[in-house]
Amino acid sequence: MVASPLLARQGAVAATGADEGVAWHYGDPVAEQRALARGGAVVDQSHLGVVRVAGPDRLSWLHSITSQDVQALAPRSSTELFVLSPQGHVEHAAAVVDDGEATWLVTEGDHAAPLAAWLERMKFMMRVEIDDLSAEYAALGEPVAAEGAEGEPVTWWDTWPRVAQGGTRYGPPETEHPGLDRPWRLVLVPRADLESAVAEREAAGWRLAGTWATEALRVEAWRPRLAHEVDHRSVPHELDWLRTAVHLHKGCYRGQETIARVHNLGRPPRRLVMLHLDGSQHVVPEAGAQVLVGGPEGRPVGTVTTVARHHELGPVALAVIKRSTPEDAELTVVGDVGGQELQVAAAQEVVVPGDGVSADRPEAHGPLTRGLTPRGPDAPQSLL
């Protein structure tokens, strides 16, 4: 991991984990977060990975091997895609934008080289060229809800939580989703120009902010992230990530069978929730802490994936829990902090509903799948 030159700024505190290499904050995380929330901050995201795919077959080829319909992706149009396992589990996630000559994929820093290597193995006879440019290009995050304009650097706009064409949602409609108030995009600049690009924005009145701020606003927006919310069992439905990264009606690709089956017939085994944590203690749990139902001595139902301190909401977290966990259940987060067990009460805010049904799942014509057939006195008599 190449450390950012911006870590030399006075007051900079280095981030750890998936954000290693950039600043967690620059001395005043609350002020930085407020500046970002009101649209006046720039964030060093140079720890992210950048993969460039060139060649005349690039879009049709990526269309055939990933979860997204990019075959006719127009220049300066942003989308997302997954590389899935044959069983439909998420292996890679990437932000995608094409500049008319090449397709740029932005992903977690430790995924860039494996993603580029996987794409290289999938080339066969296609006319594509794949380059991991993470050492040459850096990303800057800024609170702007717009695609890059002609003459600007390559820019990816995060359209979350808007449901893309061919996608679907498990959570609320866009107009009721907290993520709609989070403008965000990534601007790719040569690493040699990173400091000057930040200086230009500071000269315009923006503040330099760290990942403390971005993570808190991401949690508030229920925005999943590959480095935190995804594990080896994750399917996109659990995270409501079919909104932006999956096209349900495109041609075949690896993992499509699972995507279709869970959407049409089944229900995801887990679901994403946002947790409001008891802030009466001076410490908060860390990612990886267990989520229990039934009090501190209750049974485990999931794991905390991201923890943040929000400037208005206080300590909050994202967690992935069993879908069967009641939506109104009071939860407890139990983890280890400094060698001491920490127990924190948590109230859940539903992201993916407990019924596990998407907004447009086809109506069943009868008892198709075990566990989905209505039971009890209110069930239609034709199904009993």
Side-chain angles (χ1 to χ4, degrees):
M1 179 64 65
V2 178
S4 170
L6 296 170
L7 282 172
R9 290 283 188 100
Q10 184 176 0
V13 175
T16 58
D19 293 331
E20 181 182 358
V22 298
W24 189 32
H25 62 82
Y26 295 91
D28 194 344
V30 174
E32 294 168 24
Q33 189 180 148
R34 286 175 176 160
L36 185 62
R38 65 172 178 265
V42 59
V43 186
D44 181 5
Q45 298 278 275
S46 60
H47 61 305
L48 297 178
V50 179
V51 176
R52 183 177 184 267
V53 182
D57 295 334
R58 65 186 185 279
L59 290 176
S60 60
W61 175 67
L62 287 170
H63 176 88
S64 69
I65 61 175
T66 69
S67 65
Q68 190 55 272
D69 183 348
V70 295
Q71 188 156 332
L73 186 66
R76 296 186 297 278
S77 295
S78 301
T79 186
E80 285 187 279
L81 60 75
F82 291 130
V83 171
L84 301 172
S85 74
Q87 293 74 37
H89 302 301
V90 176
E91 292 186 344
H92 299 285
V96 184
V97 63
D98 195 272
D99 65 5
E101 297 180 356
T103 305
W104 297 74
L105 310 177
V106 184
T107 187
E108 301 289 349
D110 61 349
H111 274 253
L115 174 59
W118 183 82
L119 292 172
E120 193 70 37
R121 292 195 300 271
M122 299 298 292
K123 280 175 60 172
F124 303 113
M125 300 298 291
M126 305 302 290
R127 297 170 296 169
V128 293
E129 299 175 3
I130 301 142
D131 294 293
D132 180 357
L133 299 183
S134 304
E136 300 173 38
Y137 280 85
L140 284 177
E142 55 185 27
V144 176
E147 300 282 11
E150 187 173 355
E152 287 187 325
V154 174
T155 299
W156 174 76
W157 173 32
D158 184 3
T159 59
W160 178 269
R162 301 164 183 85
V163 178
Q165 183 176 4
T168 190
R169 61 177 175 83
Y170 281 77
E174 300 164 13
T175 54
E176 301 173 15
H177 198 290
L180 198 61
D181 298 326
R182 172 185 167 266
W184 185 245
R185 70 179 191 175
L186 297 174
V187 180
L188 300 184
V189 299
R191 281 192 177 270
D193 298 339
L194 176 62
E195 290 182 280
S196 62
V198 170
E200 289 177 6
R201 288 160 173 79
E202 289 178 310
W206 282 17
R207 182 172 190 146
L208 181 60
T211 60
W212 177 314
T214 59
E215 287 296 275
L217 298 185
R218 181 179 68 82
V219 170
E220 180 189 20
W222 304 347
R223 188 27 157 145
R225 179 178 169 186
L226 177 65
H228 290 280
E229 279 63 58
V230 174
D231 61 22
H232 68 284
R233 295 187 295 148
S234 297
V235 293
H237 318 65
E238 298 175 331
L239 308 174
D240 201 17
W241 217 340
L242 271 68
R243 288 177 179 267
T244 54
V246 175
H247 195 290
L248 291 168
H249 311 296
K250 67 185 288 283
C252 294
Y253 57 92
R254 192 171 74 161
Q256 184 195 33
E257 183 179 352
T258 297
I259 295 293
R261 183 171 64 250
V262 175
H263 173 246
N264 293 330
L265 301 178
R267 292 176 286 186
R270 302 180 297 178
R271 60 184 178 91
L272 183 69
V273 295
M274 176 176 162
L275 301 178
H276 294 266
L277 304 173
D278 178 7
S280 61
Q281 304 184 57
H282 70 282
V283 293
V284 293
E286 298 178 350
Q290 276 196 324
V291 180
L292 309 181
V293 65
E297 304 301 323
R299 59 184 176 87
V301 293
T303 305
V304 170
T305 56
T306 303
V307 179
R309 290 186 181 270
H310 192 277
H311 70 287
E312 292 181 339
L313 301 176
V316 290
L318 293 177
V320 177
I321 64 175
K322 291 181 179 179
R323 183 186 50 77
S324 58
T325 306
E327 293 182 1
D328 58 351
E330 290 293 325
L331 305 174
T332 303
V333 175
V334 177
D336 182 273
V337 177
Q340 300 292 322
E341 184 179 82
L342 177 68
Q343 299 180 357
V344 178
Q348 61 171 307
E349 194 167 346
V350 176
V351 178
V352 173
D355 62 13
V357 176
S358 69
D360 62 351
R361 194 179 80 177
E363 291 291 334
H365 297 292
L368 300 176
T369 303
R370 183 180 180 184
L372 297 183
T373 304
R375 301 293 181 187
D378 298 326
Q381 292 301 307
S382 61
L383 299 180
L384 293 178

